[in-house]
């Protein structure tokens, strides 16, 4: 393995560290506990030890299904899915009563971490997610395609718009985000205590 080619492909030394950590510390395909996600700012200080709490924010609907994006709780102060689980590389969202009918979709560059919920149609569960244990940290990181450092928080350019988790901002297309308000984060997996 030639490290310069990895660095050139991923574009940042943080991403390179993530790849090297993945080689030494294998990713977990399944976690034995329920959890929430928190966005930890990698370019500035953080107000707490876990990061900004994340929830599933509304993103529209289609016949028989609701669409969601991962948003900060501050920008979408509702939490209809208070627990997540990682099973066989798939992310599932659970209701307060523990019902599972919501799955994370396949991540795409420049797009938010999206979800599809349906009680009527089986939603395909993308199998691209894993947990990366970090030595010395209480929290594993959420990785996609084996990379934990390609997440950003991005604000929409509208008044009172949601602030969403976006994968690989370098692949961003025009989606209504204010690029000047995007910043890098890692996603902490915070064990949920019921």
């Amino acid at each position: 393995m030639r490290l310069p080619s990895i660095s050139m492909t991923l574009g940042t030394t943080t991403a390179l560290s993530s790849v090297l950590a993945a080689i030494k510390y294998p990713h977990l395909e399944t976690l034995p506990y329920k959890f929430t996600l928190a966005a930890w700012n990698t370019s500035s200080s953080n107000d707490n030890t876990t990061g900004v709490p994340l929830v599933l924010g509304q993103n529209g609907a289609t016949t028989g299904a609701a669409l969601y994006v991962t948003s900060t709780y501050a920008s979408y102060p509702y939490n209809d899915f208070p627990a997540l689980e990682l099973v066989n590389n798939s992310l599932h969202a659970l209701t307060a009563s523990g019902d599972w009918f919501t799955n994370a979709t396949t991540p795409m560059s420049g797009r938010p971490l999206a979800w599809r919920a349906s009680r009527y149609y089986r939603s395909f569960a993308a199998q691209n997610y894993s947990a990366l244990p970090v030595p010395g940290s209480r929290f594993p990181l959420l990785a996609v395609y084996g990379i934990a450092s390609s997440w950003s928080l991005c604000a929409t350019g509208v008044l009172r718009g949601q602030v969403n988790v976006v994968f690989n901002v370098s692949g961003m297309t025009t989606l209504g985000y204010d690029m000047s308000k995007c910043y890098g984060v890692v996603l902490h997996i915070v064990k949920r205590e019921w």
Side-chain angles (χ1 to χ4, degrees):
M1 174 187 311
R2 293 183 54 222
L3 295 182
S5 64
I6 291 173
S7 179
M8 288 171 31
T9 302
L10 298 176
T12 68
T13 56
T14 305
L16 179 59
S17 327
S18 181
V19 169
L20 295 177
I23 293 167
K24 189 173 182 182
Y25 303 98
H27 290 252
L28 304 173
E29 297 176 357
T30 298
L31 291 175
Y33 54 84
K34 309 297 186 251
F35 58 89
T36 62
L37 292 175
W40 181 261
N41 189 333
T42 59
S43 61
S44 185
S45 62
N46 290 274
D47 291 337
N48 59 40
T49 59
T50 56
V52 175
L54 300 173
V55 296
L56 274 63
Q58 275 292 334
N59 195 38
T62 186
T63 304
L67 307 175
Y68 297 91
V69 290
T70 308
S71 305
T72 64
Y73 181 76
S75 71
Y76 189 82
Y78 308 97
N79 194 1
D80 296 329
F81 301 93
L84 306 176
E85 63 183 1
L86 178 67
V87 179
N88 297 324
N89 294 110
S90 295
L91 264 182
H92 305 159
L94 306 173
T95 64
S97 61
D99 292 336
W100 163 49
F101 54 89
T102 306
N103 296 317
T105 62
T106 300
M108 296 171 46
S109 288
R111 304 287 181 175
L113 173 53
W115 303 76
R116 182 180 167 94
S118 179
R119 291 183 186 267
Y120 305 106
Y121 304 109
R122 188 115 175 111
S123 292
F124 172 73
Q127 295 182 308
N128 310 101
Y129 299 93
S130 60
L132 174 63
V134 177
S137 174
R138 303 183 311 181
F139 309 112
L141 302 178
L142 181 66
V144 65
Y145 305 119
I147 302 167
S149 60
S150 289
W151 301 109
S152 295
L153 279 182
C154 295
T156 56
V158 298
L159 181 65
R160 290 191 283 271
Q162 294 178 38
V163 177
N164 300 139
V165 172
V166 177
F167 175 68
N168 190 18
V169 168
S170 65
M172 183 78 79
T173 58
T174 305
L175 287 176
Y177 292 105
D178 181 347
M179 291 297 293
S180 69
K181 295 184 180 174
C182 290
Y183 58 91
V185 296
V186 291
L187 302 183
H188 282 163
I189 294 173
V190 182
K191 185 176 181 179
R192 169 110 179 159
E193 302 296 335
W194 289 93

